[in-house]
Amino acid sequence: MTIEIHPGLYNYAIVVMLMMAGLYIVITRGNLVKKIVGLNVFQASVFVLYITMGKIVGGTAPILEAGIEVYSNPLPHVLILTAIVVGVATTALGLALVVRIREAYGTIEEDEIQRQDEAL
Amino acid sequence: MVLRVLGKMMIPFIMLFALYVQFHGDYGPGGGFQAGVIFAAAIILYGLIFGIHNAMRVVPPDVVRVLIAAGVLLYASTGVAGLILGANFLDYDVLAKDPIEGQHIGILLIEFGVGTTVAAVMITIYFAFAGRQR
Amino acid sequence: MAVTVLAIIRLHNLVAVVMLSGFYSLLAATLFVVLDAVDVAFTEAAVGAGISTILMLGTLALTTQHEKVRALPRFPLILVALTGVALIYGTADMPDFGDPESPIHEHVAPRYIERSAEEIGLPNIVTSVLASYRGYDTLGEVTVIFTAGIGILTLLGVRRWRSRKPGPDTATGDEDRNAAGGDRA
């Protein structure tokens, strides 16, 4: 079995890098706002993954017009379109939680919150 | 000062653009999701420039809260309307004599529902965050 | 985009981080235009670069602007690198970028592209798939947004302005519950 990573797959490599950067932020950072930014980076990389899969070389945007034969795949566009708006709604929910945590604990650093919990 | 005058000039156009995106979404890029966000952005811009107090007077939070539910309700009732007229849930063919016509009406209605909910939720979120004091 | 992400990782000033994440979204939107996804680009530019940046700044105003600087452990970096390598290994079997013969283009999408003109009669295929073929999905998505909106109302509540409306609610703590209860009514 030989592993062959050829140049046509560069888009996946880029997506994986962005994705891992997001994951790294989520794992290492204790600040809750920064964690949410990391999740957003991760999310955007998934969007890019879907959209690159839908692209066809030589295709155009999926809006019907006379004389155009090749369209990009509209299905990923639909999925991601809704996912973006849902994503911002859930991000806002997360931020609302952060605001409440700050009001309850007086900090948004993860380790300080844990220390306060243990002290109870 | 410059900000206020420019903002006053921009906001009507942003709203008009939102409506264009809402109802032209069938032909060009656009649709309920984008239109809702753009419309909410216009209101948020107003809130940022003139203060959230004034924004709440223009768009009362209670009305916005009703609109959140109204959008989903409009969407679902469009589906139920198809059900009553003898087709499947969210099947728009029967909404008019001609199936294509019916599809147009159905899509317009549900896009409007989506736009209403998205705009109302975004405005509510903004009010919730900005209206809170530290 | 990669540079922006690196800067987001390095910086400790949260305002700068939020600004950069808005910039990241804008770059993603530009990328979507290049990849023919105009509808998606539109949404990403309005949502990612606009609304979510404002929301994050609102959160920062309510919380704090500086991240606590702490020593970074080495282990997560290794873990993340390993995961990345595994994922890249996994993409070896994926179809090439822009290949018209990849499986994603052979099954459902051609049906939409070929038939939507006669069945729906709208030029924008994304709209017809979104609203008609996959209307049920979209209903679900709208419900998710609706639920998120209610959740935020429950958590934060919209502060009423006393000067305008000397309402019945007095204590700040009860207000949240009032807002949530008002929604269900």
Side-chain angles (χ1 to χ4, degrees), chain C residues 41-120:
Chain C
F42 208 153
T43 323
E44 177 74 33
V47 167
I51 304 264
S52 69
T53 311
I54 291 177
L55 287 181
M56 297 231 184
L57 287 178
T59 315
L60 292 186
L62 290 171
T63 56
T64 171
Q65 296 195 354
H66 279 277
E67 184 187 20
K68 205 177 84 182
V69 183
R70 57 168 72 76
L72 291 178
R74 197 52 61 80
F75 177 65
L77 192 62
I78 301 168
L79 185 76
V80 164
L82 278 179
T83 319
V85 170
L87 280 176
I88 290 180
Y89 170 68
T91 61
D93 289 337
M94 298 284 277
D96 275 6
F97 171 65
D99 182 5
E101 257 135 56
S102 68
I104 182 175
H105 302 308
E106 288 186 340
H107 184 42
V108 192
R111 163 82 171 59
Y112 290 153
I113 293 174
E114 281 159 23
R115 302 286 302 278
S116 79
E118 53 191 272
E119 284 178 349
I120 314 282

Side-chain angles (χ1 to χ4, degrees), chain A residues 2-21 49, chain C residues 79-95:
Chain A
T2 53
I3 308 158
E4 196 185 344
I5 309 262
H6 47 108
L9 296 170
Y10 67 93
N11 59 323
Y12 302 110
I14 295 170
V15 167
V16 168
M17 273 176 222
L18 291 178
M19 212 182 262
M20 288 309 113
L49 171 69
Chain C
L79 185 76
V80 164
L82 278 179
T83 319
V85 170
L87 280 176
I88 290 180
Y89 170 68
T91 61
D93 289 337
M94 298 284 277

